[in-house]
Amino acid sequence: MASRPDAAWYADPQHPGQLRWWNGNRWSEHTAPGTPPPGYARDSEEVGNGFSVGAIACGAIAFVFFPIILGPIGIVLGAIAKSKDEPRANWGIGVAIAGTVGGMVLAFIVLSNTTT
């Protein structure tokens, strides 16, 4: 059985700009104006992963192609994702850093073995 969110004020799924109380089992009739502060009881469906996905893609590609360019782009995208509280932001930053370092090491190995 899937766990349910804790009782708290959440963004009202049917009325943007309004809060609704979730009692732990269902939505109540209690509402309040406003939106929750960043990082507070936000529904995961409200927050996308666009920048995180971009960071992961750049990091993965940087491992093989252009690590000096794509790696830093991925790291910047990961940082933007982190600032927007995207759920996969840490993955994005990690993959971007690993792709940058791994790509540079791989390039060094390949270049050092091709020169005589």
Side-chain angles (χ1 to χ4, degrees):
M1 185 168 103
S3 65
R4 295 184 178 178
D6 293 332
W9 288 100
Y10 292 90
D12 190 324
Q14 296 180 351
H15 298 94
Q18 179 174 293
L19 301 175
R20 183 170 296 273
W21 181 256
W22 171 261
N23 68 13
N25 293 312
R26 65 177 183 83
W27 293 109
S28 75
E29 68 280 358
H30 303 289
T31 61
T35 57
Y40 176 77
R42 295 202 319 191
D43 186 355
S44 62
E45 293 178 12
E46 285 183 33
V47 182
N49 282 305
F51 288 103
S52 299
V53 170
I56 292 168
C58 285
I61 295 168
F63 189 78
V64 181
F65 299 107
F66 309 114
I68 197 79
I69 297 168
L70 291 176
I73 291 171
I75 293 168
V76 169
L77 289 174
I80 293 169
K82 188 76 169 171
S83 73
K84 294 183 176 290
D85 293 329
E86 289 187 10
R88 300 283 181 248
N90 291 336
W91 275 98
I93 292 170
V95 170
I97 291 170
T100 304
V101 173
M104 290 179 154
V105 168
L106 183 62
F108 176 78
I109 291 169
V110 168
L111 289 174
S112 66
N113 285 332
T114 58
T115 58
T116 54

